[in-house]
Amino acid sequence: MGMFCFPAGGVLPLHDHPGMTVLTKLLYGFVYVKAYDWVKVMNSGCQTFGLTSKAVDGIFKAPCEAFVLFPRSGGNIHSFTALTPCAILDVLSPPYSEELGRPSTYFSDFHIPSLPGYAMLEEKDLPDDLDNLVNKKHKNYVFYSLVGPMV
């Protein structure tokens, strides 16, 4: 469980929650959410890429309903952009674990003009400034782990 506190303009880049169910709740403020689900995913051995369908593309204002992201639906691959200062509570089950095959993966998205609502995603390296997020102030947000170190 963790909470992200964003200043206006703060961004959490496009990332996934492999094999996890996530409950996400906007606590206050306005946030733009972009989220995808895999249609066809491929692995080249060291990189993940594939076709996705857009699950969410909108602006949300607190109070609003919580999002539930399932391993294969609901926008498990998503990004947040704070339009005003805002806070987002995330409850993950099970938690991230490199050892158990649940690492966080970051992606670049490439829209397909001839297929509205679809995009190609390509894995990219973890942004250097996102390394070790626990209880850390970041230029785009502050993350608070509410249950101890992330595994």
Side-chain angles (χ1 to χ4, degrees):
M1 182 173 2
M3 183 172 61
F4 292 90
C5 295
F6 294 90
V11 175
L12 184 57
L14 198 58
H15 65 284
D16 68 351
H17 296 274
M20 301 149 97
T21 298
V22 182
L23 175 72
T24 298
K25 176 69 176 161
L26 177 63
L27 301 175
Y28 66 85
F30 287 80
V31 66
Y32 169 66
V33 178
K34 178 170 54 173
Y36 299 98
D37 292 320
W38 289 115
V39 172
K40 174 78 173 164
V41 63
M42 296 159 269
N43 278 309
S44 66
C46 62
Q47 188 176 39
T48 302
F49 59 96
L51 178 66
T52 59
S53 63
K54 196 170 278 187
V56 177
D57 185 19
I59 296 171
F60 296 87
K61 175 188 183 261
C64 62
E65 293 292 318
F67 299 93
V68 180
L69 315 175
F70 296 100
R72 292 188 177 88
S73 65
N76 191 282
I77 306 159
H78 59 267
S79 66
F80 300 121
T81 303
L83 303 177
T84 66
C86 66
I88 296 172
L89 177 68
D90 267 358
V91 180
L92 313 171
S93 180
Y96 283 113
S97 172
E98 292 276 343
E99 295 80 26
L100 297 175
R102 292 187 307 274
S104 182
T105 304
Y106 289 82
F107 296 92
S108 296
D109 55 342
F110 304 94
H111 299 278
I112 305 169
S114 60
L115 288 173
Y118 291 86
M120 292 297 293
L121 298 189
E122 180 178 64
E123 183 177 338
K124 67 180 187 176
D125 291 335
L126 172 72
D128 292 335
D129 58 354
L130 291 182
D131 200 15
N132 189 19
L133 285 184
V134 179
N135 296 327
K136 179 179 176 183
K137 184 170 178 153
H138 179 272
K139 68 181 178 186
N140 286 323
Y141 53 81
V142 178
F143 175 77
Y144 299 98
S145 175
L146 303 177
V147 293
M150 292 169 48
V151 179

